[in-house]
Amino acid sequence: MEYYITVEPGVRIYVNDINPQGDKPILFMHGWPANHHLFEYQYDELIQKGYRCIGMDVRGFGKSDKPVYGYDYDTSADDIRCVIETLKLCNLTLLGHSTAGAVAIRYMARHKGFGVSKLVLCAAAAPSLIERPDFPFGLKEDDVLQIIYNTYQDRPQMLADFGKMFFYQPITEAFSSWFLSLGLEAASWATAYVACAWLYETLFDDMKCVNVPTLIMHGIHDQVCKYPLGVAQHKGIKGSKFVTFEDSGHGLFYDEKDKFNCELMNFVG
């Protein structure tokens, strides 16, 4: 079932409730610059096993509305709260990839984990995507500024270049074109504004607020959210489980999709 959920006047979020009769709901939050179709190879398997898979396009991306504001982590977390309340979700597993992993952590802190019983972070952009004086593990600020600049100059080429560093395992030309198409569905301004948010958003304190069982999955070859970020998440979230993906980059849900799906189902139960 497909829904448009109004999160504030004039802004609707698209949600695809793929198996609404299923058990153990999982809300899949995609990272920049894609949409909920990013998890196609999770939906395919999990719905056959009876899970309720809910894909959400974050504002500015996919089929969701594309306002010119609201691309900070607080607003994104508030959008999640509206979706969870509207669908009356409870005992939910919240899964966030990349930037959405960071937003999921913000949600847990800002909304005290409302409706969420388990958290999954995969290649999450936390506690900081960029290097900082007390955190030397992320991307360089200049690299992010270059992404923003390239977005405004030639967004298709920027997205194509990003796709080349996303996966560690070889992908076909057809798959590469499909991945590019996901990014092209986003608004150009949303693509740039989310990248701007990386420059100032941090989750060091937010991680301390996570109080549900948490699974962290991270590829050692990740060139976007580097592997030490996953290590930092594991240290910062009490009682978390950390699973290393030896043959994955940023797209670990496809690089090692069988392992990813197995770890996810074992964790959700």
Side-chain angles (χ1 to χ4, degrees):
M1 299 181 67
E2 298 177 276
Y3 306 93
Y4 276 98
I5 294 174
T6 299
V7 295
E8 61 178 278
V11 180
R12 301 169 306 155
I13 296 298
Y14 172 84
V15 176
N16 190 357
D17 196 347
I18 299 169
N19 187 25
Q21 305 306 318
D23 296 323
K24 301 172 182 176
I26 305 170
L27 179 58
F28 288 84
M29 303 296 302
H30 66 86
W32 179 97
N35 56 54
H36 80 281
H37 289 295
L38 196 68
F39 298 107
E40 174 178 331
Y41 297 92
Q42 282 62 61
Y43 305 147
D44 286 347
E45 182 169 356
L46 269 62
I47 60 175
Q48 295 183 51
K49 301 293 177 59
Y51 291 87
R52 181 182 180 185
C53 296
I54 305 161
M56 169 180 161
D57 288 348
V58 303
R59 71 165 64 198
F61 297 80
K63 294 182 179 180
S64 286
D65 286 345
K66 299 170 174 63
V68 296
Y69 59 88
Y71 297 100
D72 58 285
Y73 289 2
D74 284 354
T75 303
S76 296
D78 294 348
D79 289 349
I80 295 173
R81 174 67 181 254
C82 287
V83 169
I84 290 175
E85 285 189 331
T86 301
L87 295 183
K88 296 180 172 58
L89 299 173
C90 60
N91 295 320
L92 172 73
T93 296
L94 179 61
L95 182 151
H97 174 257
S98 194
T99 301
V103 171
I105 294 172
R106 176 62 52 81
Y107 177 83
M108 299 303 294
R110 183 171 173 84
H111 293 285
K112 299 180 173 58
F114 176 83
V116 175
S117 61
K118 293 183 179 181
L119 178 66
V120 178
L121 305 174
C122 40
S128 172
L129 182 64
I130 68 170
E131 294 180 351
R132 302 187 187 277
D134 55 349
F135 189 75
F137 304 117
L139 299 176
K140 294 188 180 301
E141 182 176 330
D142 286 346
D143 292 337
V144 173
L145 292 172
Q146 188 65 51
I147 288 173
I148 297 168
Y149 176 81
N150 291 343
T151 298
Y152 286 124
Q153 297 301 311
D154 187 343
R155 186 168 66 103
Q157 186 61 57
M158 181 280 294
L159 292 171
D161 292 340
F162 182 71
K164 293 175 183 177
M165 62 186 294
F166 198 93
F167 300 100
Y168 178 68
Q169 298 295 333
I171 57 174
T172 63
E173 183 177 345
F175 189 93
S176 179
S177 296
W178 170 79
F179 181 74
L180 174 62
S181 72
L182 301 185
L184 289 173
E185 289 187 39
S188 56
W189 53 91
T191 304
Y193 292 165
V194 170
C196 290
W198 299 336
L199 299 173
Y200 63 84
E201 295 278 13
T202 63
L203 289 302
F204 295 97
D205 291 333
D206 300 74
M207 291 194 304
K208 300 174 185 177
C209 299
V210 177
N211 59 0
V212 298
T214 301
L215 171 64
I216 299 166
M217 298 187 280
H218 219 105
I220 63 172
H221 302 286
D222 197 328
Q223 299 181 60
V224 182
C225 297
K226 298 183 179 181
Y227 183 74
L229 272 65
V231 175
Q233 294 159 31
H234 182 45
K235 291 180 179 178
I237 298 176
K238 186 177 180 181
S240 58
K241 178 183 178 182
F242 185 38
V243 179
T244 294
F245 281 64
E246 302 284 348
D247 296 312
S248 289
H250 196 52
L252 68 170
F253 50 84
Y254 187 74
D255 279 333
E256 295 182 82
K257 61 178 178 290
D258 291 340
K259 178 178 178 178
F260 185 97
N261 293 348
C262 182
E263 292 288 350
L264 176 57
M265 289 187 287
N266 286 341
F267 178 70
V268 175

